[in-house]
Amino acid sequence: MNYSTLKKGLAVSFVAALGVTSLASAQDSTATSSSAKVFGGRSQYRTWTIGVNGGVMSPFLAIGGSNDFTNADVNLGYGISLKKQLGHAFGLEGNIFRGKVSGTNKDAANGSQFGYSSFETEIGYAADIRGVVNVATVDFLRRENSVNFFVTAGYGLVAYAPKTTSATGVEFDWKDKAGDNGDKTYVKEAYIPVGAGVKFKVSDRVAFNLGYTMHFIDSDNFDGVVAKGNTKDKFSYGYAGLEFSLGSKSKPDLNWVNPLALMYDELKDPSLRQEVEALKNRVSNVEKSIEDLKKDSDGDGVSDQFDKCPGTPAGTAVDGSGCPLPVTTTTGTGNVTGFETIQFEFNSSVLKTESYPTLDKLSSTLREEGGKVSVKGYASSEGTAAYNLKLSKDRANSVKTYLVNSGVNASQVATKGYGEANPIASNDTEEGRIQNRRVETSRN
């Protein structure tokens, strides 16, 4: 018996039986002490937010770059946003905003540049989708974040109408330039928004945002001036706004969850620690029981817990219960021919140990002299005839199996079951039925 395997198997079984329910209870306890769990998925959080914002638009960028005008005017912009937070650090945000961007060349020589003195561009609408990355989702000083820094980037479409004033005072308004159908009043171009900002938690539902976004337009016509050798146009939007969290009040807002604090709470939950300690004790008891199960004081190969005959002398052959096997009292094999009748117990096809000398002699004869032998199985009359026929075949096959295992060629042994047929004693008495439970062998 492989007791190492037994030990592992029983340990797993006992742990499963004794500990799984308790561990599940501990996890449930953790869930009740905190509204969210590590690796619990987005469904346990509020993940949708809607925002409104307003601020200042400018044709200049904070990172610098070339411009068709030397001076920027201050103009108002405003917009709305809808965001889906996909994780602690990343979300997708849709934005729509409007406003006006304008500038002059009052600091240029003669107050003009490229033949223009000023421009004013109305943004009919701008819509984009952005990825928002929270770059400070963990606050090591607080269990819950109250300030988040973020960066954004995305892709959008802007519809705009520029109006310019030339150095000679001539105005040109794109809205006055009708298309082929007389209804084209806006230029539509793609743009790339890139920005950064900081978010402050005002309450469980409200956040205050400060942000700055640069918009890189895929054209050089946003300010109405196409200057030779100049780069594509751009504009910026510095804004402040409020963001409102949507969803069930019982769930935390994913934007503000500190994942490290959440993991710490779950790992340090007192009820979970108590259950783990209790589970350790149960496992220890299981291991002790297994060690006791392995103990075999008399060394007969049967553990003490299953040994019905403890203290068996060393070297004694025992059965599965640890009791000595019956000793065959044959004085020799000189009188054994190998063709003696082989008896069986009631409803059994298992060979008795006292039949081994007969079978060993028959095996020796067949291996040394060759030839073939017929093995005929019989049964007493208890039970149905069909069952007794099967039992008689099984008894004949048990004899054949013993012979083949001892080295006899299977082709030398022919078996057949006769069931209740050919009794050698009366089936009306127990003594007669014992004699009829037999196998007979004969040479072919």
Side-chain angles (χ1 to χ4, degrees):
M1 177 183 294
N2 188 333
Y3 285 105
S4 176
T5 302
L6 175 62
K7 178 178 178 180
K8 292 179 181 177
L10 289 178
V12 170
S13 300
F14 272 76
V15 169
L18 299 176
V20 169
T21 301
S22 299
L23 185 56
S25 300
Q27 291 175 337
D28 290 342
S29 175
T30 301
T32 58
S33 64
S34 173
S35 59
K37 291 170 56 180
V38 177
F39 308 123
R42 286 192 297 270
S43 61
Q44 61 188 332
Y45 302 104
R46 297 200 305 268
T47 57
W48 287 98
T49 55
I50 187 169
V52 294
N53 55 75
V56 176
M57 290 187 166
S58 169
F60 294 168
L61 301 184
I63 61 175
S66 60
N67 292 90
D68 297 330
F69 293 85
T70 59
N71 301 87
D73 295 331
V74 175
N75 293 286
L76 176 65
Y78 56 92
I80 60 174
S81 64
L82 181 65
K83 185 175 70 171
K84 171 69 172 179
Q85 195 69 22
L86 300 178
H88 292 289
F90 181 76
L92 286 177
E93 182 179 78
N95 286 273
I96 300 176
F97 62 92
R98 299 188 65 185
K100 183 170 65 175
V101 180
S102 64
T104 68
N105 278 322
K106 64 180 182 179
D107 289 342
N110 301 320
S112 68
Q113 186 174 238
F114 306 114
Y116 294 91
S117 61
S118 65
F119 86 97
E120 179 182 291
T121 297
E122 177 188 344
I123 299 176
Y125 68 85
D128 61 63
I129 184 167
R130 308 175 189 176
V132 182
V133 178
N134 293 333
V135 294
T137 56
V138 177
D139 189 340
F140 290 97
L141 301 178
R142 298 175 179 83
R143 298 188 60 77
E144 187 173 283
N145 296 343
S146 57
V147 180
N148 272 351
F149 296 90
F150 61 88
V151 294
T152 64
Y155 183 84
L157 179 68
V158 59
Y160 61 88
K163 181 170 66 174
T164 58
T165 302
S166 69
T168 59
V170 177
E171 291 187 352
F172 174 80
D173 189 345
W174 180 266
K175 284 188 175 181
D176 295 333
K177 180 182 178 182
D180 295 337
N181 298 323
D183 59 356
K184 182 178 181 181
T185 57
Y186 288 98
V187 180
K188 297 180 178 63
E189 296 287 354
Y191 69 93
I192 301 295
V194 178
V198 59
K199 178 187 302 183
F200 302 91
K201 185 175 182 180
V202 177
S203 71
D204 191 49
R205 287 283 189 178
V206 183
F208 177 68
N209 294 352
L210 292 176
Y212 180 80
T213 306
M214 301 175 290
H215 305 79
F216 299 89
I217 302 175
D218 190 24
S219 75
D220 188 23
N221 190 42
F222 181 74
D223 56 11
V225 177
V226 179
K228 184 180 295 185
N230 203 0
T231 58
K232 295 180 179 180
D233 288 333
K234 57 269 184 185
F235 69 95
S236 62
Y237 179 37
Y239 62 88
L242 295 176
E243 191 174 78
F244 303 91
S245 176
L246 307 177
S248 172
K249 185 178 180 180
S250 63
K251 298 180 179 181
D253 187 345
L254 184 54
N255 284 282
W256 299 107
V257 173
N258 186 330
L260 290 184
L262 184 66
M263 183 174 292
Y264 178 87
D265 287 343
E266 186 163 330
L267 292 176
K268 295 297 182 181
D269 183 86
S271 61
L272 180 59
R273 292 175 62 85
Q274 292 169 5
E275 290 295 336
V276 170
E277 290 301 321
L279 184 57
K280 287 181 179 179
N281 292 333
R282 293 188 183 100
V283 171
S284 177
N285 292 335
V286 170
E287 291 178 341
K288 183 179 183 302
S289 298
I290 293 173
E291 291 299 326
D292 292 341
L293 184 63
K294 292 169 57 178
K295 189 176 181 181
D296 180 13
S297 300
D298 56 11
D300 60 0
V302 179
S303 66
D304 291 351
Q305 292 194 23
F306 302 107
D307 197 340
K308 295 181 179 180
C309 300
T312 305
T316 303
V318 298
D319 57 18
S321 62
C323 294
L325 291 170
V327 179
T328 303
T329 57
T330 56
T331 58
T333 60
N335 296 326
V336 177
T337 65
F339 293 94
E340 286 79 9
T341 299
I342 298 170
Q343 302 295 144
F344 290 84
E345 295 290 344
F346 169 71
N347 194 31
S348 173
S349 60
V350 178
L351 293 170
K352 295 182 178 181
T353 54
E354 53 261 35
S355 65
Y356 293 168
T358 298
L359 294 173
D360 290 340
K361 177 63 176 179
L362 178 58
S363 171
S364 176
T365 300
L366 291 174
R367 285 183 283 111
E368 293 175 3
E369 300 177 7
K372 297 184 179 181
V373 66
S374 294
V375 179
K376 303 171 185 178
Y378 298 94
S380 56
S381 61
E382 297 99 328
T384 65
Y387 180 80
N388 289 331
L389 179 62
K390 178 181 181 301
L391 182 58
S392 67
K393 292 178 180 179
D394 291 342
R395 288 170 173 170
N397 286 328
S398 293
V399 171
K400 180 176 180 177
T401 299
Y402 187 96
L403 295 174
V404 171
N405 288 340
S406 67
V408 176
N409 193 304
S411 63
Q412 293 178 267
V413 184
T415 62
K416 187 173 182 179
Y418 291 89
E420 302 172 11
N422 307 324
I424 60 174
S426 172
N427 281 309
D428 294 333
T429 65
E430 179 59 24
E431 292 78 7
R433 289 191 290 270
I434 290 175
Q435 296 182 56
N436 291 332
R437 300 166 190 151
R438 71 194 191 280
V439 164
E440 297 175 351
T441 56
S442 62
R443 281 191 178 277
N444 287 347

